[in-house]
């Protein structure tokens, strides 16, 4: 017969054929993995994660090394420009989608340069002591941040200000909300509440005139709506 239909549009399942799930090449970035990064950093003093690292005793660190290796691969592909600006297919990932997780790792000091540090930090001796320090390569790994910064400067050049709308595809949305949270946290609790990388980035955005004021953003949207309805910005 024609076989059982599939819900995802693939060819029908014929008699005797076992249904299969479509494969997904997307490494999963989640809050759990972010917790794992912080836990690993607390334990080892660095984020040069060996590709074979696996702590089955802790749920967050299970298969952590394989995930870290996938993140390093994503970073290399991002730097190489392999991810498109717009989504060409249902399963493809864009630069914005990939950037979100990678930039959080940048802020933590994740070492994207370690190809395979198998066993680093897990043995005794001088090599283990050396492995407790972050790799020198990690200090200059700001590819995602530099990409966002270029978009900020381009936006300012085009619009005369740096108060992007929340709907902006690159410097809006989650990224905008995250930076404003960091800024508020820094004002409330001081520089010690942020990582060195986060402090550096907030200072840079302040330097180029980035608007962290959410109230201003809301009022600007109201003014734009008023102008659209009345045809003028003059408010009696």
């Amino acid at each position: 017969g024609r076989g059982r239909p599939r819900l995802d549009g693939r060819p029908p399942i014929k008699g005797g054929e076992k249904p299969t799930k479509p494969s997904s090449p997307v490494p999963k970035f989640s809050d759990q993995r972010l917790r794992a990064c912080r836990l690993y950093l607390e334990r080892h003093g660095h984020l040069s994660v060996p590709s074979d690292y696996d702590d089955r005793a802790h749920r967050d660190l299970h298969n952590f090394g394989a995930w870290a290796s996938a993140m390093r691969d994503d970073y290399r592909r991002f730097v190489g420009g392999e991810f498109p600006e717009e989504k060409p297919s249902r399963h493809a990932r864009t630069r914005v989608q990939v950037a979100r997780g990678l930039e959080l790792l940048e802020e933590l000091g994740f070492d994207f340069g370690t190809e395979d540090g198998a066993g680093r930090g897990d043995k005794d001796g001088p090599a283990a002591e050396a492995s407790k320090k972050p790799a020198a390569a990690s200090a200059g790994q700001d590819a995602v941040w530099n990409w966002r910064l270029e978009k900020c400067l381009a936006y300012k050049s085009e619009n005369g200000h740096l108060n992007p709308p929340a709907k902006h595809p690159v410097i809006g949305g989650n990224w905008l909300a995250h930076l404003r949270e960091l800024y508020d946290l820094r004002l409330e609790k001081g520089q010690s509440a942020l990582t060195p990388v986060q402090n550096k980035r907030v200072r840079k955005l302040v330097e180029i005139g980035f608007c962290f004021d959410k109230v201003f953003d809301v009022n600007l949207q109201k003014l734009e709506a008023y102008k659209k309805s009345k045809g003028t910005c003059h408010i009696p």
Side-chain angles (χ1 to χ4, degrees):
R2 297 175 59 186
R4 286 182 290 144
R6 300 182 194 254
L7 297 179
D8 58 6
R10 289 179 294 153
I13 302 173
K14 298 180 180 179
E17 178 188 354
K18 293 183 178 180
T20 57
K21 294 181 180 180
S23 60
S24 174
V26 180
K28 186 176 181 181
F29 187 91
S30 61
D31 290 340
Q32 178 185 348
R33 290 307 190 187
L34 201 57
R35 287 197 307 270
C37 286
R38 295 191 176 105
L39 178 59
Y40 186 94
L41 180 61
E42 182 181 338
R43 287 184 177 182
H44 300 279
H46 65 80
L47 277 171
S48 298
V49 185
S51 60
D52 63 350
Y53 184 87
D54 184 12
D55 185 352
R56 294 178 179 272
H58 198 290
R59 178 183 175 185
D60 289 348
L61 293 174
H62 181 44
N63 288 331
F64 186 56
W67 175 84
S69 182
M71 292 299 103
R72 288 191 287 268
D73 184 59
D74 267 4
Y75 201 80
R76 286 191 290 271
R77 293 176 62 195
F78 185 94
V79 172
E82 293 186 34
F83 296 104
E85 293 287 343
E86 298 182 0
K87 199 163 188 171
S89 64
R90 187 162 61 96
H91 294 296
R93 291 178 294 162
T94 65
R95 285 178 73 79
V96 172
Q97 290 173 320
V98 175
R100 179 60 187 148
L102 295 181
E103 62 196 347
L104 292 178
L105 294 180
E106 281 184 345
E107 290 179 6
L108 288 176
F110 188 90
D111 181 8
F112 293 103
T114 301
E115 293 290 339
D116 186 359
R120 290 190 61 183
D122 300 320
K123 298 180 181 179
D124 297 327
E129 288 301 314
S131 73
K132 293 179 182 178
K133 299 179 181 180
S138 64
Q141 295 179 105
D142 296 313
V144 182
W145 162 250
N146 290 335
W147 173 66
R148 298 273 199 191
L149 190 59
E150 288 175 4
K151 297 292 186 181
C152 284
L153 294 174
Y155 183 90
K156 183 178 182 179
S157 176
E158 182 179 345
N159 297 278
H161 65 83
L162 251 179
N163 184 41
K167 62 183 179 181
H168 191 282
V170 177
I171 57 174
N174 290 334
W175 185 79
L176 178 62
H178 175 64
L179 266 296
R180 283 176 169 169
E181 286 176 2
L182 292 182
Y183 182 78
D184 290 344
L185 186 61
R186 192 171 187 266
L187 288 179
E188 181 183 350
K189 297 186 177 180
Q191 297 184 31
S192 60
L194 308 184
T195 69
V197 174
Q198 289 172 337
N199 274 306
K200 179 181 176 182
R201 293 181 176 184
V202 168
R203 286 197 301 269
K204 182 61 180 179
L205 290 176
V206 170
E207 179 185 314
I208 64 175
F210 193 88
C211 181
F212 291 97
D213 190 347
K214 288 175 282 190
V215 176
F216 178 84
D217 192 39
V218 171
N219 288 335
L220 181 62
Q221 291 176 7
K222 290 180 179 178
L223 180 61
E224 289 173 343
Y226 182 89
K227 182 180 180 181
K228 186 176 181 179
S229 65
K230 305 293 184 179
T232 178
C233 285
H234 176 70
I235 303 175

mmCIF file of all heavy atoms in Angstrom, residues 173-215:
data_model
loop_
_atom_site.group_PDB
_atom_site.id
_atom_site.type_symbol
_atom_site.label_atom_id
_atom_site.label_comp_id
_atom_site.label_asym_id
_atom_site.label_seq_id
_atom_site.Cartn_x
_atom_site.Cartn_y
_atom_site.Cartn_z
ATOM 1 N N GLY A 173 16.593 42.586 20.268
ATOM 2 C CA GLY A 173 16.177 41.314 20.854
ATOM 3 C C GLY A 173 16.915 40.921 22.115
ATOM 4 O O GLY A 173 17.151 41.741 23.010
ATOM 5 N N ASN A 174 17.298 39.638 22.195
ATOM 6 C CA ASN A 174 17.958 39.102 23.388
ATOM 7 C C ASN A 174 19.279 39.800 23.690
ATOM 8 O O ASN A 174 19.635 40.004 24.854
ATOM 9 C CB ASN A 174 18.203 37.595 23.222
ATOM 10 C CG ASN A 174 16.926 36.795 23.267
ATOM 11 O OD1 ASN A 174 15.939 37.216 23.868
ATOM 12 N ND2 ASN A 174 16.911 35.637 22.629
ATOM 13 N N TRP A 175 20.002 40.146 22.621
ATOM 14 C CA TRP A 175 21.308 40.781 22.836
ATOM 15 C C TRP A 175 21.138 42.145 23.499
ATOM 16 O O TRP A 175 21.843 42.475 24.451
ATOM 17 C CB TRP A 175 22.038 40.945 21.498
ATOM 18 C CG TRP A 175 23.422 41.474 21.640
ATOM 19 C CD1 TRP A 175 24.537 40.777 22.012
ATOM 20 C CD2 TRP A 175 23.847 42.833 21.438
ATOM 21 N NE1 TRP A 175 25.630 41.610 22.042
ATOM 22 C CE2 TRP A 175 25.237 42.880 21.704
ATOM 23 C CE3 TRP A 175 23.189 44.012 21.065
ATOM 24 C CZ2 TRP A 175 25.980 44.053 21.593
ATOM 25 C CZ3 TRP A 175 23.924 45.181 20.961
ATOM 26 C CH2 TRP A 175 25.307 45.198 21.217
ATOM 27 N N LEU A 176 20.192 42.931 23.016
ATOM 28 C CA LEU A 176 19.932 44.247 23.588
ATOM 29 C C LEU A 176 19.499 44.125 25.044
ATOM 30 O O LEU A 176 19.992 44.840 25.920
ATOM 31 C CB LEU A 176 18.852 44.952 22.766
ATOM 32 C CG LEU A 176 18.403 46.336 23.229
ATOM 33 C CD1 LEU A 176 19.560 47.317 23.192
ATOM 34 C CD2 LEU A 176 17.246 46.838 22.368
ATOM 35 N N ALA A 177 18.601 43.193 25.321
ATOM 36 C CA ALA A 177 18.114 42.991 26.686
ATOM 37 C C ALA A 177 19.249 42.546 27.607
ATOM 38 O O ALA A 177 19.353 42.997 28.758
ATOM 39 C CB ALA A 177 16.990 41.965 26.692
ATOM 40 N N HIS A 178 20.097 41.662 27.113
ATOM 41 C CA HIS A 178 21.217 41.148 27.906
ATOM 42 C C HIS A 178 22.191 42.275 28.281
ATOM 43 O O HIS A 178 22.610 42.396 29.436
ATOM 44 C CB HIS A 178 21.942 40.067 27.114
ATOM 45 C CG HIS A 178 23.180 39.542 27.775
ATOM 46 N ND1 HIS A 178 23.152 38.876 28.979
ATOM 47 C CD2 HIS A 178 24.490 39.591 27.395
ATOM 48 C CE1 HIS A 178 24.380 38.536 29.326
ATOM 49 N NE2 HIS A 178 25.208 38.965 28.392
ATOM 50 N N LEU A 179 22.541 43.115 27.310
ATOM 51 C CA LEU A 179 23.484 44.209 27.588
ATOM 52 C C LEU A 179 22.893 45.217 28.566
ATOM 53 O O LEU A 179 23.596 45.749 29.434
ATOM 54 C CB LEU A 179 23.870 44.897 26.280
ATOM 55 C CG LEU A 179 25.149 44.395 25.597
ATOM 56 C CD1 LEU A 179 26.366 44.661 26.486
ATOM 57 C CD2 LEU A 179 25.092 42.923 25.241
ATOM 58 N N ARG A 180 21.602 45.466 28.451
ATOM 59 C CA ARG A 180 20.968 46.400 29.394
ATOM 60 C C ARG A 180 20.920 45.809 30.800
ATOM 61 O O ARG A 180 21.072 46.532 31.786
ATOM 62 C CB ARG A 180 19.566 46.754 28.895
ATOM 63 C CG ARG A 180 19.600 47.760 27.747
ATOM 64 C CD ARG A 180 18.234 48.046 27.170
ATOM 65 N NE ARG A 180 18.293 49.195 26.273
ATOM 66 C CZ ARG A 180 17.310 49.561 25.471
ATOM 67 N NH1 ARG A 180 16.171 48.878 25.465
ATOM 68 N NH2 ARG A 180 17.433 50.610 24.677
ATOM 69 N N GLU A 181 20.744 44.501 30.896
ATOM 70 C CA GLU A 181 20.779 43.845 32.205
ATOM 71 C C GLU A 181 22.167 43.958 32.828
ATOM 72 O O GLU A 181 22.309 44.202 34.033
ATOM 73 C CB GLU A 181 20.380 42.374 32.060
ATOM 74 C CG GLU A 181 18.901 42.153 31.828
ATOM 75 C CD GLU A 181 18.566 40.688 31.592
ATOM 76 O OE1 GLU A 181 19.498 39.856 31.655
ATOM 77 O OE2 GLU A 181 17.392 40.377 31.343
ATOM 78 N N LEU A 182 23.200 43.760 32.010
ATOM 79 C CA LEU A 182 24.572 43.883 32.503
ATOM 80 C C LEU A 182 24.849 45.307 32.986
ATOM 81 O O LEU A 182 25.482 45.513 34.028
ATOM 82 C CB LEU A 182 25.570 43.508 31.405
ATOM 83 C CG LEU A 182 25.613 42.049 30.962
ATOM 84 C CD1 LEU A 182 26.689 41.852 29.894
ATOM 85 C CD2 LEU A 182 25.874 41.124 32.147
ATOM 86 N N TYR A 183 24.369 46.270 32.223
ATOM 87 C CA TYR A 183 24.571 47.674 32.582
ATOM 88 C C TYR A 183 23.889 48.002 33.913
ATOM 89 O O TYR A 183 24.488 48.627 34.799
ATOM 90 C CB TYR A 183 24.018 48.568 31.467
ATOM 91 C CG TYR A 183 24.203 50.054 31.704
ATOM 92 C CD1 TYR A 183 25.436 50.659 31.478
ATOM 93 C CD2 TYR A 183 23.136 50.845 32.145
ATOM 94 C CE1 TYR A 183 25.606 52.028 31.689
ATOM 95 C CE2 TYR A 183 23.304 52.208 32.361
ATOM 96 C CZ TYR A 183 24.539 52.789 32.123
ATOM 97 O OH TYR A 183 24.711 54.133 32.336
ATOM 98 N N ASP A 184 22.647 47.564 34.067
ATOM 99 C CA ASP A 184 21.912 47.809 35.314
ATOM 100 C C ASP A 184 22.587 47.116 36.492
ATOM 101 O O ASP A 184 22.674 47.676 37.594
ATOM 102 C CB ASP A 184 20.465 47.317 35.183
ATOM 103 C CG ASP A 184 19.639 48.171 34.235
ATOM 104 O OD1 ASP A 184 20.075 49.302 33.926
ATOM 105 O OD2 ASP A 184 18.568 47.711 33.797
ATOM 106 N N LEU A 185 23.072 45.896 36.266
ATOM 107 C CA LEU A 185 23.746 45.137 37.324
ATOM 108 C C LEU A 185 25.032 45.834 37.751
ATOM 109 O O LEU A 185 25.357 45.893 38.939
ATOM 110 C CB LEU A 185 24.049 43.727 36.821
ATOM 111 C CG LEU A 185 24.617 42.733 37.841
ATOM 112 C CD1 LEU A 185 23.631 42.529 38.983
ATOM 113 C CD2 LEU A 185 24.913 41.396 37.157
ATOM 114 N N ARG A 186 25.738 46.379 36.779
ATOM 115 C CA ARG A 186 26.983 47.104 37.066
ATOM 116 C C ARG A 186 26.707 48.365 37.869
ATOM 117 O O ARG A 186 27.460 48.722 38.782
ATOM 118 C CB ARG A 186 27.682 47.443 35.757
ATOM 119 C CG ARG A 186 29.120 47.934 35.881
ATOM 120 C CD ARG A 186 29.750 48.008 34.494
ATOM 121 N NE ARG A 186 31.152 48.313 34.553
ATOM 122 C CZ ARG A 186 31.670 49.537 34.451
ATOM 123 N NH1 ARG A 186 30.855 50.569 34.279
ATOM 124 N NH2 ARG A 186 32.970 49.742 34.503
ATOM 125 N N LEU A 187 25.624 49.062 37.547
ATOM 126 C CA LEU A 187 25.256 50.260 38.292
ATOM 127 C C LEU A 187 24.841 49.927 39.720
ATOM 128 O O LEU A 187 25.161 50.641 40.667
ATOM 129 C CB LEU A 187 24.111 50.990 37.591
ATOM 130 C CG LEU A 187 24.431 51.720 36.285
ATOM 131 C CD1 LEU A 187 23.160 52.349 35.730
ATOM 132 C CD2 LEU A 187 25.502 52.778 36.492
ATOM 133 N N GLU A 188 24.128 48.819 39.865
ATOM 134 C CA GLU A 188 23.577 48.444 41.172
ATOM 135 C C GLU A 188 24.620 47.845 42.104
ATOM 136 O O GLU A 188 24.691 48.188 43.285
ATOM 137 C CB GLU A 188 22.433 47.446 40.971
ATOM 138 C CG GLU A 188 21.778 47.003 42.262
ATOM 139 C CD GLU A 188 20.688 45.959 42.043
ATOM 140 O OE1 GLU A 188 20.313 45.726 40.870
ATOM 141 O OE2 GLU A 188 20.224 45.383 43.042
ATOM 142 N N LYS A 189 25.473 46.943 41.558
ATOM 143 C CA LYS A 189 26.385 46.176 42.427
ATOM 144 C C LYS A 189 27.866 46.433 42.149
ATOM 145 O O LYS A 189 28.723 45.864 42.827
ATOM 146 C CB LYS A 189 26.082 44.687 42.296
ATOM 147 C CG LYS A 189 24.675 44.313 42.752
ATOM 148 C CD LYS A 189 24.464 42.822 42.746
ATOM 149 C CE LYS A 189 23.079 42.455 43.269
ATOM 150 N NZ LYS A 189 22.855 40.981 43.282
ATOM 151 N N GLY A 190 28.158 47.223 41.127
ATOM 152 C CA GLY A 190 29.552 47.529 40.848
ATOM 153 C C GLY A 190 30.183 46.592 39.840
ATOM 154 O O GLY A 190 29.583 45.590 39.425
ATOM 155 N N GLN A 191 31.424 46.894 39.472
ATOM 156 C CA GLN A 191 32.121 46.130 38.444
ATOM 157 C C GLN A 191 32.340 44.673 38.832
ATOM 158 O O GLN A 191 32.420 43.794 37.978
ATOM 159 C CB GLN A 191 33.475 46.779 38.145
ATOM 160 C CG GLN A 191 33.372 48.182 37.574
ATOM 161 C CD GLN A 191 34.722 48.748 37.201
ATOM 162 O OE1 GLN A 191 35.627 48.020 36.816
ATOM 163 N NE2 GLN A 191 34.867 50.060 37.329
ATOM 164 N N SER A 192 32.449 44.404 40.134
ATOM 165 C CA SER A 192 32.728 43.044 40.592
ATOM 166 C C SER A 192 31.586 42.082 40.268
ATOM 167 O O SER A 192 31.767 40.858 40.302
ATOM 168 C CB SER A 192 32.992 43.032 42.099
ATOM 169 O OG SER A 192 31.861 43.511 42.819
ATOM 170 N N ALA A 193 30.399 42.618 39.943
ATOM 171 C CA ALA A 193 29.250 41.760 39.618
ATOM 172 C C ALA A 193 29.349 41.177 38.219
ATOM 173 O O ALA A 193 28.637 40.233 37.882
ATOM 174 C CB ALA A 193 27.953 42.549 39.757
ATOM 175 N N LEU A 194 30.247 41.739 37.390
ATOM 176 C CA LEU A 194 30.420 41.272 36.021
ATOM 177 C C LEU A 194 31.787 40.640 35.836
ATOM 178 O O LEU A 194 32.704 40.869 36.626
ATOM 179 C CB LEU A 194 30.271 42.443 35.030
ATOM 180 C CG LEU A 194 29.022 43.318 35.128
ATOM 181 C CD1 LEU A 194 29.023 44.340 33.992
ATOM 182 C CD2 LEU A 194 27.761 42.487 35.082
ATOM 183 N N THR A 195 31.927 39.853 34.783
ATOM 184 C CA THR A 195 33.236 39.296 34.449
ATOM 185 C C THR A 195 34.083 40.410 33.825
ATOM 186 O O THR A 195 33.550 41.429 33.371
ATOM 187 C CB THR A 195 33.120 38.138 33.447
ATOM 188 O OG1 THR A 195 32.700 38.661 32.168
ATOM 189 C CG2 THR A 195 32.107 37.104 33.918
ATOM 190 N N PRO A 196 35.404 40.256 33.782
ATOM 191 C CA PRO A 196 36.249 41.270 33.138
ATOM 192 C C PRO A 196 35.835 41.558 31.698
ATOM 193 O O PRO A 196 35.849 42.715 31.258
ATOM 194 C CB PRO A 196 37.645 40.649 33.206
ATOM 195 C CG PRO A 196 37.601 39.776 34.423
ATOM 196 C CD PRO A 196 36.220 39.206 34.432
ATOM 197 N N VAL A 197 35.461 40.520 30.974
ATOM 198 C CA VAL A 197 35.042 40.694 29.582
ATOM 199 C C VAL A 197 33.751 41.504 29.508
ATOM 200 O O VAL A 197 33.602 42.401 28.669
ATOM 201 C CB VAL A 197 34.866 39.336 28.879
ATOM 202 C CG1 VAL A 197 34.293 39.520 27.468
ATOM 203 C CG2 VAL A 197 36.194 38.596 28.807
ATOM 204 N N GLN A 198 32.812 41.196 30.380
ATOM 205 C CA GLN A 198 31.538 41.930 30.399
ATOM 206 C C GLN A 198 31.763 43.406 30.736
ATOM 207 O O GLN A 198 31.163 44.287 30.119
ATOM 208 C CB GLN A 198 30.584 41.291 31.410
ATOM 209 C CG GLN A 198 30.045 39.948 30.965
ATOM 210 C CD GLN A 198 29.269 39.241 32.057
ATOM 211 O OE1 GLN A 198 29.458 39.506 33.245
ATOM 212 N NE2 GLN A 198 28.405 38.317 31.673
ATOM 213 N N ASN A 199 32.619 43.692 31.713
ATOM 214 C CA ASN A 199 32.927 45.079 32.066
ATOM 215 C C ASN A 199 33.537 45.821 30.886
ATOM 216 O O ASN A 199 33.172 46.972 30.599
ATOM 217 C CB ASN A 199 33.892 45.113 33.250
ATOM 218 C CG ASN A 199 33.182 45.040 34.589
ATOM 219 O OD1 ASN A 199 32.294 45.831 34.883
ATOM 220 N ND2 ASN A 199 33.569 44.074 35.406
ATOM 221 N N LYS A 200 34.450 45.165 30.209
ATOM 222 C CA LYS A 200 35.115 45.770 29.054
ATOM 223 C C LYS A 200 34.104 46.109 27.964
ATOM 224 O O LYS A 200 34.159 47.187 27.345
ATOM 225 C CB LYS A 200 36.171 44.816 28.518
ATOM 226 C CG LYS A 200 36.921 45.323 27.292
ATOM 227 C CD LYS A 200 37.924 44.286 26.817
ATOM 228 C CE LYS A 200 38.624 44.745 25.532
ATOM 229 N NZ LYS A 200 39.575 43.732 25.036
ATOM 230 N N ARG A 201 33.149 45.219 27.737
ATOM 231 C CA ARG A 201 32.166 45.423 26.678
ATOM 232 C C ARG A 201 31.170 46.518 27.028
ATOM 233 O O ARG A 201 30.789 47.323 26.170
ATOM 234 C CB ARG A 201 31.467 44.096 26.371
ATOM 235 C CG ARG A 201 32.425 43.090 25.764
ATOM 236 C CD ARG A 201 31.785 41.766 25.418
ATOM 237 N NE ARG A 201 32.760 40.906 24.747
ATOM 238 C CZ ARG A 201 32.490 39.706 24.256
ATOM 239 N NH1 ARG A 201 31.267 39.206 24.359
ATOM 240 N NH2 ARG A 201 33.435 39.006 23.659
ATOM 241 N N VAL A 202 30.744 46.563 28.270
ATOM 242 C CA VAL A 202 29.829 47.624 28.691
ATOM 243 C C VAL A 202 30.515 48.978 28.557
ATOM 244 O O VAL A 202 29.915 49.949 28.066
ATOM 245 C CB VAL A 202 29.344 47.389 30.141
ATOM 246 C CG1 VAL A 202 28.632 48.633 30.671
ATOM 247 C CG2 VAL A 202 28.407 46.186 30.207
ATOM 248 N N ARG A 203 31.778 49.058 28.992
ATOM 249 C CA ARG A 203 32.518 50.321 28.878
ATOM 250 C C ARG A 203 32.650 50.765 27.426
ATOM 251 O O ARG A 203 32.535 51.951 27.107
ATOM 252 C CB ARG A 203 33.911 50.174 29.507
ATOM 253 C CG ARG A 203 33.925 50.150 31.023
ATOM 254 C CD ARG A 203 35.320 50.411 31.567
ATOM 255 N NE ARG A 203 36.287 49.422 31.105
ATOM 256 C CZ ARG A 203 36.569 48.286 31.750
ATOM 257 N NH1 ARG A 203 35.952 48.018 32.900
ATOM 258 N NH2 ARG A 203 37.466 47.454 31.282
ATOM 259 N N LYS A 204 32.886 49.802 26.541
ATOM 260 C CA LYS A 204 33.033 50.138 25.124
ATOM 261 C C LYS A 204 31.740 50.684 24.555
ATOM 262 O O LYS A 204 31.731 51.662 23.785
ATOM 263 C CB LYS A 204 33.478 48.901 24.340
ATOM 264 C CG LYS A 204 33.708 49.161 22.849
ATOM 265 C CD LYS A 204 34.797 50.187 22.622
ATOM 266 C CE LYS A 204 35.025 50.437 21.149
ATOM 267 N NZ LYS A 204 36.084 51.461 20.914
ATOM 268 N N LEU A 205 30.616 50.081 24.919
ATOM 269 C CA LEU A 205 29.318 50.547 24.429
ATOM 270 C C LEU A 205 28.989 51.938 24.958
ATOM 271 O O LEU A 205 28.419 52.769 24.251
ATOM 272 C CB LEU A 205 28.222 49.550 24.808
ATOM 273 C CG LEU A 205 28.261 48.208 24.069
ATOM 274 C CD1 LEU A 205 27.192 47.264 24.608
ATOM 275 C CD2 LEU A 205 28.077 48.402 22.572
ATOM 276 N N VAL A 206 29.339 52.188 26.219
ATOM 277 C CA VAL A 206 29.148 53.535 26.782
ATOM 278 C C VAL A 206 29.993 54.540 25.998
ATOM 279 O O VAL A 206 29.544 55.641 25.670
ATOM 280 C CB VAL A 206 29.543 53.565 28.275
ATOM 281 C CG1 VAL A 206 29.576 55.008 28.795
ATOM 282 C CG2 VAL A 206 28.563 52.737 29.106
ATOM 283 N N GLU A 207 31.210 54.137 25.678
ATOM 284 C CA GLU A 207 32.154 54.998 24.957
ATOM 285 C C GLU A 207 31.632 55.419 23.585
ATOM 286 O O GLU A 207 31.816 56.567 23.157
ATOM 287 C CB GLU A 207 33.488 54.260 24.806
ATOM 288 C CG GLU A 207 34.572 55.006 24.063
ATOM 289 C CD GLU A 207 35.802 54.150 23.869
ATOM 290 O OE1 GLU A 207 36.239 53.501 24.838
ATOM 291 O OE2 GLU A 207 36.335 54.123 22.737
ATOM 292 N N ILE A 208 30.943 54.514 22.892
ATOM 293 C CA ILE A 208 30.455 54.838 21.548
ATOM 294 C C ILE A 208 29.036 55.405 21.563
ATOM 295 O O ILE A 208 28.444 55.649 20.516
ATOM 296 C CB ILE A 208 30.525 53.616 20.613
ATOM 297 C CG1 ILE A 208 29.592 52.496 21.089
ATOM 298 C CG2 ILE A 208 31.950 53.115 20.477
ATOM 299 C CD1 ILE A 208 29.529 51.295 20.133
ATOM 300 N N GLY A 209 28.489 55.595 22.773
ATOM 301 C CA GLY A 209 27.192 56.254 22.890
ATOM 302 C C GLY A 209 25.988 55.337 22.844
ATOM 303 O O GLY A 209 24.878 55.766 22.499
ATOM 304 N N PHE A 210 26.162 54.074 23.228
ATOM 305 C CA PHE A 210 25.035 53.130 23.228
ATOM 306 C C PHE A 210 24.012 53.542 24.284
ATOM 307 O O PHE A 210 24.365 53.932 25.394
ATOM 308 C CB PHE A 210 25.544 51.723 23.524
ATOM 309 C CG PHE A 210 24.536 50.640 23.252
ATOM 310 C CD1 PHE A 210 24.447 50.071 21.997
ATOM 311 C CD2 PHE A 210 23.690 50.189 24.243
ATOM 312 C CE1 PHE A 210 23.520 49.069 21.736
ATOM 313 C CE2 PHE A 210 22.764 49.195 23.999
ATOM 314 C CZ PHE A 210 22.678 48.633 22.729
ATOM 315 N N CYS A 211 22.734 53.453 23.936
ATOM 316 C CA CYS A 211 21.660 53.843 24.857
ATOM 317 C C CYS A 211 21.199 52.638 25.672
ATOM 318 O O CYS A 211 20.661 51.679 25.139
ATOM 319 C CB CYS A 211 20.479 54.426 24.088
ATOM 320 S SG CYS A 211 19.115 54.949 25.160
ATOM 321 N N PHE A 212 21.430 52.712 26.975
ATOM 322 C CA PHE A 212 21.009 51.625 27.865
ATOM 323 C C PHE A 212 19.684 51.930 28.557
ATOM 324 O O PHE A 212 19.190 51.124 29.327
ATOM 325 C CB PHE A 212 22.079 51.386 28.937
ATOM 326 C CG PHE A 212 23.350 50.796 28.415
ATOM 327 C CD1 PHE A 212 24.427 51.608 28.123
ATOM 328 C CD2 PHE A 212 23.470 49.440 28.211
ATOM 329 C CE1 PHE A 212 25.618 51.077 27.638
ATOM 330 C CE2 PHE A 212 24.644 48.891 27.719
ATOM 331 C CZ PHE A 212 25.724 49.709 27.433
ATOM 332 N N ASP A 213 19.131 53.103 28.301
ATOM 333 C CA ASP A 213 17.918 53.560 28.992
ATOM 334 C C ASP A 213 16.667 52.938 28.369
ATOM 335 O O ASP A 213 16.235 53.331 27.296
ATOM 336 C CB ASP A 213 17.838 55.085 28.926
ATOM 337 C CG ASP A 213 16.745 55.641 29.835
ATOM 338 O OD1 ASP A 213 15.905 54.856 30.320
ATOM 339 O OD2 ASP A 213 16.733 56.868 30.056
ATOM 340 N N LYS A 214 16.085 51.983 29.073
ATOM 341 C CA LYS A 214 14.883 51.316 28.560
ATOM 342 C C LYS A 214 13.679 52.270 28.529
ATOM 343 O O LYS A 214 12.814 52.152 27.670
ATOM 344 C CB LYS A 214 14.569 50.090 29.420
ATOM 345 C CG LYS A 214 15.525 48.939 29.212
ATOM 346 C CD LYS A 214 15.257 47.794 30.155
ATOM 347 C CE LYS A 214 15.791 48.061 31.523
ATOM 348 N NZ LYS A 214 15.771 46.888 32.417
ATOM 349 N N VAL A 215 13.630 53.204 29.474
ATOM 350 C CA VAL A 215 12.521 54.163 29.502
ATOM 351 C C VAL A 215 12.566 55.043 28.265
ATOM 352 O O VAL A 215 11.544 55.304 27.621
ATOM 353 C CB VAL A 215 12.588 55.027 30.779
ATOM 354 C CG1 VAL A 215 11.496 56.093 30.754
ATOM 355 C CG2 VAL A 215 12.442 54.148 32.017
#
